[in-house]
Amino acid sequence: MADERPDPDRDHGFLHGGGEMGARIRAFPWSGTALGDVPDWSPSWRTVVRLMLTTNHPVFLFLGPELVCLYNDAYARSLGPEKHPGMLGGRGRDWWPEIWDIIGPQIQYVMDGKGSTWHENALVPIDRHGRRDEVYWTYSYSPIDDATAANGIGGVLVLCTETTEQVLAERRVRAAELRWRQLFQQAPGFVCLLEGPRHVFRFANPGYHALIGAGDEILGKPVAEVLPWAVRQGFVDLLDGVLATGEPHIALDAEVELPDHLGGGIRRLDFVYQPIRDERGRIYGIFVIGSDVTSRHLAQEALQRRTEQLHLACDAADLGIHVYDPATGAIDWDARMHALWGLAPDAPVDYAGFVDAIEAADRPVMEAALARALDPAGDGHFAAEFRVRSQADGRLRWVQFTGKASFRDGVAERVVGTARDITEARLADVRRHEFLATLGHELRNPLAPIATSLYLIRHGSPEDAVVRQAHEVIDRQLRQMVRLLEDLLDVVRVTNGRIELRRERLRLDAVLQSALETAAPYVERGDHPLQLSAPATPLFVDADGVRLAQVFANLLINACKYSDRGSRIELVSEAGDGVVRVRVRDQGVGIPAEMQARVFEMFSQAEPSLHRAQGGLGIGLALARGLVEMHGGSIAVHSAGRGHGSEFVVTLPRAADPGAVAAAAAGSARCGATFAGWKILVVDDNVDAADSLAELLQVEGAVVETAHDGDTAITRAEAMRPDALLLDIGLPGRNGFEVAGELRRRAWAASLRIVALSGWGQEGDRRRSREAGVDVHLVKPVDYPELVRALLPPCRSGFSRDAVAGNRPGIGTASRLKPLLRGS
């Protein structure tokens, strides 16, 4: 049976290894060259190629009668891009035209079977890196024996070493010997030459003369005679050691005490004692070179003091200092950084340990910030806040990380910065948020009965004109309070990322119509001519209609507040390249140039509110920017300055036309007898709120009962079996969530419509309502039409929810603008 063991030569084993060139040789299409396929190569070629790939010495091969070029990594380092890697597999004559007149005859000598050649420090200039370099080589040309080839020679083996630096160095040494005295005379430091075991001065430059306070009279004299103080300080012992060992002595920042006649005091010197050898290698003297670094030493001491001050400042500010090497992952921390991670002050830290302690949900935040800092296209700044779990006690801390990356040749070398524990600040933010939410709740509760009572007055028949006027004033101020409160809470929600947009495909003109309805009282009160412009073709956006209308309403109201009575306001909508733009222009007070960069900041106003009767909290534009950016858009302001009006431009992504737009709701239907035959239970611990809402629902035909705590609510609901439950959340005893959950467990309540009426309106409150079985969560104060829409789910009855939506104060004025908004 034939031997089936693999043949390493047939498997090209001789081509294994060899680094870059080994890989290139293995991948090269040799069948297209004069050498033919690799399996057909002769044993001598295989041997010499194997030798080339396994040595670190520069080796070049000319193979076959065409002298095909092969070489290894060591040789490639002496080539430029003109030859490497393109020369591989090419003919020698084609790739070495600049020196073929030199090496061609030498190669032919070997190929003719005349033997080897040897060339030492020979000038063989080659083209590399865009120029012809004067290159010196020590090399040999040796035959590659091959019995099947002409003259028995299958190629030429080139063993070479580039000696350019050696040759040039020898030239430099010879040249230096001619001019060293002149150069040393001009040296900025001190230089001297000492000979023999007594260290006799043979040369000293002006710098050395200045150092020791003596001139040329020292030449020919030993150091011990010229500088007895140097003997006492051990410098002669150092010279003796250099002569004895032949090893140079290098001193950095050495302390030298000068004698009184040289001014006294301590000087700091950097110097080298370098042994000098003759042509037989014997040490015959010492070359001394150095410089006075006293000023540098003093600067370093000053730097050290500043560094200590920096550490003290970091300690006072509770800042930890970190240094990170992106290339190695090495991390250098001070004691405070170790403490933040719950580590001992001397515990080693690497990148993996740093990341492991970061809360998993926050790691992407840190990694994204670090990636931005390490990006050479950026500014190198690193800033992130994330949670870290202490390895000592398991405590979770919020840490604020800052830093700056330094770069060399486009690669980040290190990141240096600080970190501090901001846990308390974060907790303060949470407490502040909770305070504002509570504030909103406490302010909403008294507004609810006022709003309900006003609706009753509005639909009565008051005969007293003073009462009607008082109603108008109260109604207007109530809406102003509600708007300011909503804006304030919305800013908090946007800032904390607690607003969730409910996006849908909307016509832009419908959104603007809603904004006009809200702003209509301000337009009418200021007697502002309103100029509208819109394209004939409807524009669509994917947006939360309520929030987007809030943006445009704020811009329109601002335009009214900061414009003189009777001045024109323009509302323009237009299409751009993949976007829609809405422009709100006014002829008002304008915005100074220095203010335009800050106009969207919180509590920022272009003109102090004392100068304007309608001045607000300065949060409307901050809220508008936040909501627009949540929609993926942007908002900008343009103004020629004070007294020249302003233009606000909102840009949003444009959505495709869905092809079917629902007809606008028509009319403003009256809500009388809406709930005829309904049984409704109203639950609120505010007796006035419960009773006034009950009266309103009774006017609408409902049978209504009230309860003022959770337990009573459950008892009366069980007895009454109502169709709908209007439920406050903050109740004595069982809260509204518990009441809703308890009732949902009862079979008769499966169809019960539960609407929460609460001053608590955060997303967490809404989520708890859903979990408890509440159908709709409304935030006080609630307009009656909004309450009707909540109680009447789609297709519940023939009652038009769209009609109720249209029954809002001020809609008559805004309705006149609908045709213009549609572009007709």
Side-chain angles (χ1 to χ4, degrees):
M1 184 175 184
D3 186 356
E4 297 181 352
R5 289 177 297 177
D7 181 355
D9 284 342
R10 296 298 298 177
D11 292 340
H12 312 330
F14 70 99
L15 294 181
H16 289 175
E20 175 193 357
M21 290 308 300
R24 290 186 180 276
I25 291 172
R26 289 190 291 276
F28 194 84
W30 294 106
S31 60
T33 71
L35 300 185
D37 288 333
V38 173
D40 300 328
W41 287 8
S42 68
S44 61
W45 287 1
R46 292 168 180 254
T47 300
V48 76
V49 170
R50 186 62 187 156
L51 171 66
M52 178 185 72
L53 293 180
T54 56
T55 180
N56 292 326
H57 190 83
V59 177
F60 194 100
L61 301 179
F62 293 103
L63 293 184
E66 295 292 331
L67 301 177
V68 175
C69 301
L70 292 86
Y71 55 96
N72 63 5
D73 283 354
Y75 191 94
R77 286 191 284 272
S78 61
L79 297 173
E82 296 87 347
K83 289 183 169 57
H84 174 70
M87 182 168 58
L88 179 65
R91 297 197 318 161
R93 178 183 295 273
D94 296 337
W95 283 92
W96 294 105
E98 72 272 29
I99 59 171
W100 197 251
D101 60 332
I102 299 175
I103 67 172
Q106 298 169 356
I107 294 172
Q108 191 60 45
Y109 179 89
V110 176
M111 292 295 290
D112 289 342
K114 296 179 180 179
S116 301
T117 67
W118 172 256
H119 313 274
E120 187 171 356
N121 295 333
L123 173 60
V124 186
I126 64 173
D127 292 339
R128 60 184 180 186
H129 303 296
R131 66 179 185 273
R132 180 157 299 182
D133 277 351
E134 182 179 298
V135 185
Y136 291 84
W137 305 84
T138 293
Y139 64 97
S140 67
Y141 284 168
S142 302
I144 300 173
D145 294 330
D146 188 346
T148 64
N151 300 316
I153 307 301
V156 176
L157 169 66
V158 183
L159 300 177
C160 57
T161 301
E162 183 180 346
T163 60
T164 304
E165 286 302 320
Q166 174 187 334
V167 171
L168 296 180
E170 290 173 355
R171 289 182 182 177
R172 288 193 292 269
V173 168
R174 288 192 298 270
E177 290 175 352
L178 299 176
R179 63 176 184 269
W180 67 269
R181 289 181 178 273
Q182 179 182 359
L183 293 176
F184 292 156
Q185 288 285 353
Q186 299 170 357
F190 57 82
V191 176
C192 72
L193 178 62
L194 308 175
E195 285 185 358
R198 299 178 63 217
H199 315 301
V200 174
F201 284 101
R202 295 304 182 195
F203 171 80
N205 76 339
Y208 195 90
H209 291 314
L211 177 68
I212 65 172
D216 287 340
E217 68 273 12
I218 68 172
L219 298 180
K221 298 178 181 179
V223 169
E225 178 182 340
V226 176
L227 306 173
W229 53 270
V231 177
R232 292 192 298 271
Q233 296 183 43
F235 290 100
V236 171
D237 291 338
L238 294 176
L239 292 169
D240 291 339
V242 172
L243 283 180
T245 65
E247 296 294 328
H249 175 80
I250 301 174
L252 298 176
D253 205 30
E255 185 175 289
V256 178
E257 184 177 359
L258 297 181
D260 292 340
H261 73 276
L262 294 178
I266 301 296
R267 306 294 290 176
R268 297 281 180 164
L269 306 179
D270 286 351
F271 62 87
V272 177
Y273 291 165
Q274 178 67 44
I276 304 174
R277 300 176 184 271
D278 60 19
E279 62 274 13
R280 289 177 292 182
R282 295 182 302 180
I283 300 173
Y284 70 93
I286 295 175
F287 180 70
V288 180
I289 184 170
S291 59
D292 187 338
V293 295
T294 305
S295 58
R296 185 189 71 187
H297 177 80
L298 295 176
Q300 288 176 336
E301 287 185 336
L303 177 61
Q304 179 65 28
R305 287 193 298 271
R306 288 195 294 270
T307 301
E308 292 172 354
Q309 292 168 354
L310 173 61
H311 281 285
L312 289 174
C314 287
D315 288 343
D318 203 27
L319 293 175
I321 300 175
H322 62 86
V323 180
Y324 168 57
D325 184 343
T328 65
I331 288 179
D332 185 15
W333 281 356
D334 67 358
R336 182 164 281 102
M337 289 296 305
H338 281 81
L340 283 174
W341 258 248
L343 301 172
D346 57 348
V349 183
D350 58 15
Y351 183 80
F354 159 71
V355 173
D356 285 345
I358 299 175
E359 195 75 356
D362 295 347
R363 289 173 191 168
V365 174
M366 183 283 298
E367 291 168 347
L370 182 57
R372 287 192 297 272
L374 299 180
D375 184 355
D379 59 7
H381 285 287
F382 175 43
E385 294 180 3
F386 45 84
R387 289 167 293 176
V388 173
R389 192 169 297 280
S390 170
Q391 297 187 31
D393 56 14
R395 179 186 174 190
L396 200 61
R397 291 181 173 89
W398 276 99
V399 176
Q400 182 184 64
F401 240 69
T402 61
K404 184 72 167 60
S406 59
F407 296 83
R408 174 177 293 181
D409 297 330
V411 178
E413 285 189 309
R414 64 182 58 83
V415 180
V416 181
T418 62
R420 66 187 181 100
D421 187 340
I422 60 169
T423 306
E424 289 303 319
R426 279 280 186 162
L427 292 176
D429 284 342
V430 172
R431 289 191 291 267
R432 189 181 306 112
H433 173 72
E434 292 173 348
F435 164 76
L436 289 173
T438 303
L439 174 64
H441 173 264
E442 294 302 323
L443 288 175
R444 291 178 193 277
N445 270 333
L447 292 175
I450 296 175
T452 304
S453 299
L454 284 173
Y455 194 91
L456 285 172
I457 296 173
R458 186 182 303 118
H459 289 80
S461 301
E463 298 177 358
D464 191 339
V466 174
V467 173
R468 288 196 299 274
Q469 182 179 3
H471 159 263
E472 293 175 358
V473 172
I474 294 172
D475 186 30
R476 182 166 59 252
Q477 295 304 316
L478 172 65
R479 292 184 180 279
Q480 175 71 357
M481 288 178 63
V482 170
R483 190 184 69 81
L484 292 176
L485 177 61
E486 289 293 348
D487 280 357
L488 179 60
L489 294 180
D490 279 346
V491 167
V492 175
R493 296 182 189 117
V494 169
T495 302
N496 293 332
R498 295 180 180 271
I499 282 186
E500 293 183 6
L501 299 181
R502 299 179 181 179
R503 294 178 182 266
E504 56 182 323
R505 186 64 52 85
L506 300 172
R507 280 181 61 149
L508 181 61
D509 56 8
V511 176
L512 295 177
Q513 173 66 40
S514 178
L516 283 167
E517 291 173 2
T518 301
Y522 296 86
V523 175
E524 292 179 346
R525 191 179 308 141
D527 195 22
H528 297 292
L530 191 58
Q531 180 177 331
L532 306 175
S533 176
T537 302
L539 302 176
F540 291 85
V541 291
D542 287 329
D544 184 321
V546 173
R547 293 301 183 185
L548 203 52
Q550 186 179 3
V551 170
F552 297 128
N554 271 344
L555 296 180
L556 288 166
I557 291 170
N558 262 12
C560 295
K561 290 198 302 183
Y562 292 100
S563 296
D564 292 333
R565 183 177 185 83
S567 63
R568 186 178 74 251
I569 293 173
E570 299 176 43
L571 178 62
V572 179
S573 59
E574 59 192 24
D577 185 11
V579 299
V580 298
R581 293 187 183 88
V582 177
R583 303 177 186 273
V584 179
R585 300 191 187 105
D586 63 60
Q587 299 174 324
V589 298
I591 304 174
E594 67 275 8
M595 184 64 192
Q596 292 179 33
R598 298 189 292 111
V599 73
F600 294 105
E601 295 178 3
M602 185 76 76
F603 308 123
S604 176
Q605 292 179 304
E607 185 171 303
S609 58
L610 288 177
H611 299 166
R612 287 274 159 182
Q614 301 180 69
L617 297 178
I619 61 175
L621 292 179
L623 174 59
R625 180 178 66 177
L627 292 174
V628 168
E629 289 177 350
M630 288 180 67
H631 282 83
S634 62
I635 183 170
V637 62
H638 308 287
S639 176
R642 193 180 299 277
H644 294 283
S646 305
E647 179 186 53
F648 287 85
V649 182
V650 175
T651 303
L652 296 165
R654 183 178 180 178
D657 187 339
V661 180
S668 53
R670 174 72 180 156
C671 298
T674 302
F675 299 109
W678 281 47
K679 293 187 292 182
I680 301 176
L681 176 60
V682 178
V683 182
D684 199 318
D685 60 334
N686 187 316
V687 177
D688 288 340
D691 291 347
S692 59
L693 183 55
E695 292 174 9
L696 175 58
L697 293 170
Q698 287 167 352
V699 170
E700 299 295 342
V703 175
V704 186
E705 292 190 17
T706 61
H708 306 302
D709 62 75
D711 293 327
T712 303
I714 293 174
T715 300
R716 291 191 179 170
E718 183 65 42
M720 183 184 185
R721 304 288 176 91
D723 298 295
L725 174 65
L726 300 180
L727 180 63
D728 188 19
I729 297 300
L731 295 172
R734 300 196 208 189
N735 61 37
F737 300 130
E738 295 170 325
V739 171
E742 175 66 27
L743 293 179
R744 282 301 188 205
R745 286 192 287 271
R746 307 190 181 196
W748 64 266
S751 61
L752 175 64
R753 185 74 171 173
I754 302 179
V755 176
L757 303 177
S758 175
W760 302 98
Q762 302 299 312
E763 181 56 33
D765 306 318
R766 297 179 187 275
R767 183 182 65 254
R768 291 186 64 189
S769 286
R770 290 193 297 270
E771 293 170 351
V774 173
D775 294 298
V776 180
H777 185 112
L778 299 180
V779 180
K780 298 176 181 179
V782 181
D783 285 343
Y784 183 69
E786 187 177 10
L787 177 61
V788 172
R789 289 196 302 273
L791 285 172
L792 293 174
C795 304
R796 175 72 180 262
S797 70
F799 183 82
S800 170
R801 294 176 65 190
D802 286 338
V804 174
N807 190 23
R808 295 176 181 269
I811 192 171
T813 300
S815 295
R816 298 196 304 268
L817 307 175
K818 285 183 179 181
L820 288 172
L821 281 173
R822 295 195 182 106
S824 58

